Each structure stands twice: as C-alpha cells, then as structure tokens.
Amino acid sequence: MLKKTALLLIAGIFAPLTFAQQSFFPIWGDEAEKLGYTLPKPYGFSISYMDMSNPITVNSIDLTGHPVLEAIDVDANQADFKGSNITLRGDVWVFPFLNVYGIIGYTQGQSKARINSVSCDRGAVNGIVNNALCSAIDQVGSNLPDNAMFTLDMDGGTYGIGTTIAGGVGNWFALLDMNYTYTSISAIDGNIKTFVAAPRVGHRWEYDGGRELRVFVGAMYQDVEQYLSGDLKSLGLPSELAKAVDALAPDAGFEVSQSAEEKWNGVVGFQYAFNRDWDILMEAGFGQRETLFFALGRRF
C-alpha cells in the first residue's frame, strides 16, 4: 500500500497537468503579463540536497542526575557542525512578486566540541563524600588528553514554511527568501530551530523554447538554535571521565544549548530552466559557514 501511494505521488508530480493553466494564481498575473513580464507557472515541486559545515557556539552544558554532576563546569565553548539535509518543497506564486512554500525533509549532522577542562565547584555541594568526589573530578578534568571531545549526533525529520519576495527591472532581478524550519532530533531529546533570510541580486538570459539562465550573488543570514538533552553516555566523553561519571550516577543526563557562531555568509549560484516545466538550481556558500546546495524543480 505504501509503495502504491509513493508511485501515485511521483506520477502526480511528474505527469503533464493542465489545471495550472486555469489557475486562480498568481493574482494580478494577467496584468503583469500585459506589462511584458514573463511569469513562471504558478505551482511547483522540487527536491533538494544541501551540505553544510558551520562553527557552533556552545552556550551551556548542564549535567543532571546527582548534586556533584550539577556542580560540574565543562569548558567546551566551541564546536564544529557538519551535516546535510534532503527536502521536498511545494510552492505557489500567490502574486507575481510573492511565492509561498512548505518544506518537509530529513536532516543528519554531527557536532564535535573539544573539551578544554572539567571542574567541580566544591562550594556547591555538601558532605565529605561529595567534596571528595569533586576533588577527584577536578583531578581527572584538569588532565584530559588534547583530543578530548564530546560528540552530538543530530538526525531527524525537518519541516517548515517560507516565502520569497521578488522583483526586477529589465533582465536584472532581486529577491528575498525567508523561511523557518524545525528539526526534531530522533536519537536524543532535542530540536533545531532555524530562521533563514537570503537576499540575492542577479541577471537573467532568455533563450528559445522557454530556456532561461539566471546567475546571482547574495548573502545568507541563518539564526540556528539547538536544544539537546539525553543520556550523558551518548555524549562520547573521554573514557576516564565517562567511568567516573558512570560510577557516580549511572542514569546521569545532560542538557546542551548551542547556536550558530557566525550568522552571515556569502552565496553565489545559478538557476537554469530547460523549459517552462523543469529547472535546476545550484548554489555555494562561502565564509565561516560553507554550504553546497542542489535542487531539481518541476512547475505546473
């Protein structure tokens, strides 16, 4: 049944359709065409893939499950995130200058942070035993190997909404794309909330048969907030520290808050339409955040 449903969905996306020709959208489309503008077909589906590498700021690491753990301070404020996602997008041009869309997909990634040191605040705990444990953790935490890391695997489903505002003069165009996505992490408790705003400017060339090439440059603003929690063992702590924590509290947990270190980066790319139905888009981002994006689109 699932296979049959998937086949019907694919057939519906890629089969020739005529309903768009009688579509209500885009509003004011006839007026825009009378002024000489060539408009895309109103409805679209696309599949895309993005690869990304991004420095991350670790805002806080809190340990839970025992008073001594709650007194521990982990110094690991910088992390590197590497990940990718694949998404399906459906969109409609509501006005000639305004597109709205929905996104559903899957994201997988991993962040790694070097642990500089681990210390325990003995003034925050009571009792001889707890103070002795704090002293032992201080001893272990101040002699960590240079490659001591904690690792977070962040895989899960992604969904979101967005809008594009576009305009142009002659063959020059400008647009502003904005979207908000939410990723629910499957392996651990947590989520990634991302807001993106990407202004671009470019030039287009039209050819026979509906072919068109657009080349653009721009920037991308990305505000990422990651909230993660789970079993402390899943952090991949150094073995010396993991053994000490396990002996102290086998059910110990963690809570981590992270955000993007650099919110802006530059982008350059192109979009090529084979005809009025099919197009491809490729975009590269450069700066502290590096991205590579591919998309194949179908319009109706």
Side-chain angles (χ1 to χ4, degrees), residues 1-280:
M1 182 64 182
L2 182 60
K3 183 181 289 186
K4 183 178 180 181
T5 302
L7 289 173
L8 288 173
L9 177 60
I10 293 172
I13 291 175
F14 294 104
L17 297 177
T18 59
F19 73 89
Q21 297 174 3
Q22 291 82 36
S23 171
F24 177 72
F25 296 110
I27 300 170
W28 301 335
D30 291 339
E31 290 81 353
E33 289 183 340
K34 289 176 182 178
L35 293 174
Y37 292 99
T38 301
L39 302 180
K41 291 184 177 181
Y43 305 101
F45 284 98
S46 64
I47 183 170
S48 64
Y49 172 84
M50 173 178 274
D51 189 84
M52 180 171 66
S53 176
N54 192 25
I56 294 291
T57 298
V58 182
N59 299 315
S60 64
I61 302 175
D62 297 319
L63 308 183
T64 61
H66 192 280
V68 173
L69 292 178
E70 294 170 6
I72 289 177
D73 176 53
V74 180
D75 180 10
N77 56 5
Q78 299 293 321
D80 290 317
F81 173 83
K82 292 185 178 180
S84 62
N85 65 38
I86 184 168
T87 58
L88 289 172
R89 165 178 155 162
D91 73 271
V92 58
W93 284 98
V94 179
F95 295 99
F97 56 85
L98 179 66
N99 180 279
V100 296
Y101 58 87
I103 299 171
I104 185 170
Y106 187 79
T107 297
Q108 59 180 7
Q110 186 180 79
S111 73
K112 290 185 176 182
R114 182 179 182 276
I115 303 176
N116 301 311
S117 65
V118 176
S119 60
C120 185
D121 182 5
R122 280 175 284 180
V125 297
N126 298 316
I128 296 175
V129 174
N130 286 345
N131 271 275
L133 289 171
C134 257
S135 297
I137 290 172
D138 276 338
Q139 181 65 30
V140 173
S142 60
N143 293 283
L144 294 174
D146 292 338
N147 62 347
M149 309 282 288
F150 80 79
T151 302
L152 290 170
D153 292 315
M154 294 177 283
D155 302 354
T158 298
Y159 55 92
I161 57 174
T163 184
T164 302
I165 303 171
V169 176
N171 287 322
W172 292 93
F173 66 89
L175 60 86
L176 174 63
D177 182 74
M178 297 178 290
N179 63 67
Y180 176 84
T181 59
Y182 179 92
T183 300
S184 179
I185 307 302
S186 56
I188 57 178
D189 295 329
N191 59 73
I192 304 174
K193 300 175 182 178
T194 306
F195 172 75
V196 173
R200 300 176 179 92
V201 295
H203 192 274
R204 68 188 185 101
W205 293 266
E206 290 187 276
Y207 307 99
D208 295 336
R211 294 177 298 128
E212 182 176 310
L213 173 65
R214 295 186 175 202
V215 177
F216 58 85
V217 296
M220 180 181 293
Y221 171 88
Q222 190 176 88
D223 185 11
V224 180
E225 296 180 354
Q226 301 174 353
Y227 298 97
L228 311 162
S229 63
D231 187 342
L232 191 55
K233 298 174 185 176
S234 65
L235 278 180
L237 296 173
S239 58
E240 300 87 348
L241 190 59
K243 290 177 182 178
V245 170
D246 189 52
L248 182 63
D251 297 326
F254 72 91
E255 296 178 358
V256 175
S257 171
Q258 301 183 144
S259 59
E261 181 176 305
E262 178 58 54
K263 295 185 177 181
W264 285 97
N265 72 317
V267 297
V268 60
F270 73 89
Q271 183 178 32
Y272 181 75
F274 300 97
N275 47 48
R276 294 200 68 210
D277 298 327
W278 292 95
D279 65 78
I280 59 170

